[in-house]
Amino acid sequence: MAPHVRSITAIGRLTALVVALGTCCWLVFSHESNVDAAVYQPISSDANLEQLVRNSGLVALGKSVFEDKNLSFKRNMSCATCHSIKAGGTAASDIGNRLVGVHAGSSFEGFDKPPSHDNAMGFRNVQTSTYVAFSPPLERVLQNNTVVFEGGNFWDGRATGFFTGRSSQEQATQPPIGTLEGQLPSPACVVYRVLNPSNPKSYPIAYTSVFGTNITRVVWPSDIESQCTTANGSVSFLSKGRNFTSNSQVQLAYNNIALSLMTYEGSQAMSPFDSKYDQVLQGKAQLTSSEKRGMDLFNGKAKCASCHVTTTNAKGLRPLFTDFTYDNLGIPRNPANPIYRSAWINKKGQDWVDLGLGGFLLTQDNYRDDAIGQMGKFKVPTVRNVDRKPNDQFVRAYMHNGYFKSLEQVVDFYNTRDSKPRCKNPLTPVDAAMEQGCWPEPEYPETVNTAELGNLQLSKADEADLVSFMKTLSDHNN
């Protein structure tokens, strides 16, 4: 099975459901602490994030789901496992970041064992969950007669937002049932466990308190837990005459759960805009001389702001430090990536290449003709929280494949990618490349961006100032 087949299929099932059922219901809390004061109101298909985060019940439910380890195959992995706020919304595993730089699955047993369904390891680095909820749906646009894609979620844009109008909501539907992530066999398993939490106190706001009681009409299989703990299994609703009703209610509930996750991620808890940089914008703090020089470089000579935009949008939203586009930065292959040893999903061995957005577009009838020009391109992430760590010794992994292990390495690569010689070995690890004064060849060379990075002619002092400025983008929330 391809790594994302199960999760993309689930999204497809939601399409007909959204069309058939139109809008779902939610609860608006007239008083944050008074659940009994809730009244049903239809949620508009174009309700924006600003409106959603005002619903404290929806945010609270999303937080409970985000932190629930039971929503994975072995009940050992939550969203927070891979998206730690203290690590800037990225992987909390220092060892994993150091050794491989990509995420592991619920059935992960150890880096010393061959990757398999029973020892699942992914092939991409964990994207930050902070500020991700602001990403619009995927869209094809023309810029100076060049096709550019904006929006969507995941490194390859496969959470398009086409079905719900919210790319982050669709993103949230995929990890729990992803073959290399949560590994649950069906969305029904997630819904059942949210409705029947092993620790009810972990859900101070229940699903039914937010979305109503329609889901209680579902006739659950008597062996639902057994079905949810069967590898590569599925959940069957066998009650005659209730098949469509149960399936449709479960799919709608799964979509609702994803909406709560998106709302939590877009709330003050995950995206608070409370970094030092934000305090500077409010006149409550001042940049040091190094940070100020770094900001000037970021907006000028270093060309960072070309993609990591620093302007306030038309609605007054503070800078998100991303233009939501896709780019090929010429990142080398990560020799520690488990994908090269994952014969169960990769038959090409070390010849495997991550095609990014282009690979996803090949699966889309409407965009297949655009795929070649988008090969090797990956989502431009926000650089908010790009250096946030739980402690100074903690190692983070950077870029789509986790090749880099520090922000300093990333900045040096942007600056010298094309001025340093090529490493003789295309699978040279980053520490060895830094020591040898070379960079390995790009994973996908044909579409590399040579206009905005590669030979910026920055000094070592300039690089240090850039890092100093980006450190000011770390939030202070816990």
Side-chain angles (χ1 to χ4, degrees):
M1 179 186 291
H4 307 300
V5 165
R6 186 189 295 153
S7 55
I8 291 176
T9 301
I11 284 289
R13 290 197 297 267
L14 290 176
T15 309
L17 182 68
V18 171
V19 172
L21 298 180
T23 57
C24 63
C25 289
W26 65 333
L27 296 181
V28 175
F29 289 80
S30 56
H31 302 286
E32 290 189 5
S33 61
N34 187 359
V35 175
D36 293 334
V39 293
Y40 282 109
Q41 288 188 0
I43 179 171
S44 173
S45 60
D46 60 356
N48 60 37
L49 187 61
E50 182 181 3
Q51 295 168 321
L52 293 171
V53 297
R54 293 173 186 163
N55 185 329
S56 60
L58 188 62
V59 173
L61 176 63
K63 181 178 188 294
S64 296
V65 173
F66 191 87
E67 297 175 349
D68 191 349
K69 290 185 177 181
N70 293 295
L71 306 183
S72 60
F73 183 63
K74 291 195 172 182
R75 296 180 180 268
N76 62 347
M77 173 183 287
S78 69
C79 300
T81 302
C82 292
H83 300 284
S84 167
I85 292 178
K86 292 184 178 180
T90 64
S93 172
D94 175 88
I95 295 176
N97 290 339
R98 291 174 186 268
L99 294 181
V100 293
V102 298
H103 67 80
S106 180
S107 66
F108 173 73
E109 295 183 345
F111 296 113
D112 57 333
K113 299 181 179 181
S116 67
H117 184 278
D118 297 325
N119 186 34
M121 287 178 268
F123 56 90
R124 287 186 182 142
N125 188 17
V126 176
Q127 282 185 296
T128 180
S129 57
T130 64
Y131 302 96
V132 70
F134 294 92
S135 186
L138 187 69
E139 182 180 11
R140 179 188 186 274
V141 298
L142 284 177
Q143 292 183 359
N144 300 320
N145 294 321
T146 300
V147 173
V148 174
F149 282 82
E150 299 176 347
N153 255 305
F154 287 117
W155 286 110
D156 59 6
R158 69 184 186 276
T160 60
F162 293 164
F163 307 132
T164 66
R166 304 180 185 93
S167 65
S168 294
Q169 181 181 6
E170 291 176 19
Q171 184 277 332
T173 66
Q174 298 191 29
I177 58 172
T179 307
L180 301 178
E181 296 175 85
Q183 298 184 273
L184 283 170
S186 167
C189 300
V190 176
V191 176
Y192 183 80
R193 292 182 180 182
V194 168
L195 294 173
N196 302 277
S198 58
N199 178 15
K201 291 183 179 179
S202 66
Y203 281 80
I205 303 296
Y207 174 92
T208 52
S209 296
V210 179
F211 290 106
T213 58
N214 282 346
I215 189 62
T216 62
R217 301 173 185 172
V218 169
V219 180
W220 294 99
S222 59
D223 61 344
I224 178 68
E225 279 297 354
S226 175
Q227 294 186 40
C228 290
T229 55
T230 302
N232 295 316
S234 61
V235 174
S236 301
F237 293 93
L238 301 179
S239 181
K240 187 176 181 181
R242 300 294 295 276
N243 237 6
F244 176 78
T245 300
S246 293
N247 274 313
S248 62
Q249 289 293 342
V250 166
Q251 290 295 336
L252 179 58
Y254 191 60
N255 202 33
N256 289 341
I257 290 168
L259 181 65
S260 75
L261 276 170
M262 183 202 80
T263 304
Y264 172 64
E265 290 173 347
S267 72
Q268 286 287 312
M270 188 75 70
S271 305
F273 293 95
D274 73 347
S275 67
K276 179 179 180 178
Y277 176 80
D278 293 298
Q279 294 173 353
V280 170
L281 292 182
Q282 298 172 59
K284 298 179 180 179
Q286 291 184 336
L287 297 176
T288 67
S289 56
S290 175
E291 292 164 353
K292 177 63 167 63
R293 290 193 301 270
M295 183 177 69
D296 292 340
L297 287 164
F298 192 97
N299 290 314
K301 184 177 180 180
K303 303 180 182 179
C304 307
S306 297
C307 297
H308 301 287
V309 292
T310 58
T311 55
T312 301
N313 74 4
K315 296 182 179 180
L317 186 66
R318 296 174 200 169
L320 289 170
F321 287 87
T322 176
D323 61 1
F324 306 111
T325 60
Y326 296 76
D327 208 348
N328 181 354
L329 306 177
I331 308 301
R333 290 189 289 170
N334 177 5
N337 196 328
I339 188 65
Y340 301 122
R341 299 184 290 124
S342 299
W344 69 297
I345 56 172
N346 170 30
K347 305 304 180 184
K348 296 183 179 181
Q350 290 194 344
D351 292 330
W352 180 87
V353 173
D354 194 340
L355 300 177
L357 174 64
F360 168 67
L361 295 180
L362 279 177
T363 69
Q364 305 298 299
D365 292 341
N366 292 342
Y367 299 112
R368 191 169 290 118
D369 291 344
D370 296 313
I372 294 299
Q374 308 302 318
M375 292 295 181
K377 295 185 179 182
F378 297 90
K379 183 79 177 289
V380 174
T382 178
V383 288
R384 282 183 174 273
N385 294 306
V386 71
D387 191 62
R388 186 172 182 183
K389 297 177 286 189
N391 57 67
D392 291 339
Q393 290 72 45
F394 186 88
V395 171
R396 281 185 57 171
Y398 293 91
M399 300 304 171
H400 71 277
N401 61 4
Y403 180 78
F404 299 104
K405 308 302 180 184
S406 74
L407 191 54
E408 288 80 5
Q409 292 173 348
V410 173
V411 171
D412 188 64
F413 177 80
Y414 270 62
N415 183 30
T416 65
R417 182 196 65 197
D418 299 336
S419 59
K420 286 183 178 180
R422 285 279 177 263
C423 299
K424 293 181 180 179
N425 182 355
L427 290 174
T428 301
V430 65
D431 288 340
M434 294 289 289
E435 183 178 343
Q436 296 170 25
C438 63
W439 291 117
E441 64 185 26
E443 181 175 21
Y444 192 89
E446 287 82 358
T447 58
V448 170
N449 181 346
T450 58
E452 295 171 315
L453 71 156
N455 187 14
L456 299 176
Q457 299 182 15
L458 303 177
S459 66
K460 286 297 180 183
D462 289 337
E463 290 187 4
D465 288 338
L466 272 172
V467 171
S468 292
F469 170 65
M470 285 188 278
K471 287 177 181 287
T472 72
L473 303 178
S474 295
D475 290 319
H476 300 126
N477 61 320
N478 294 317

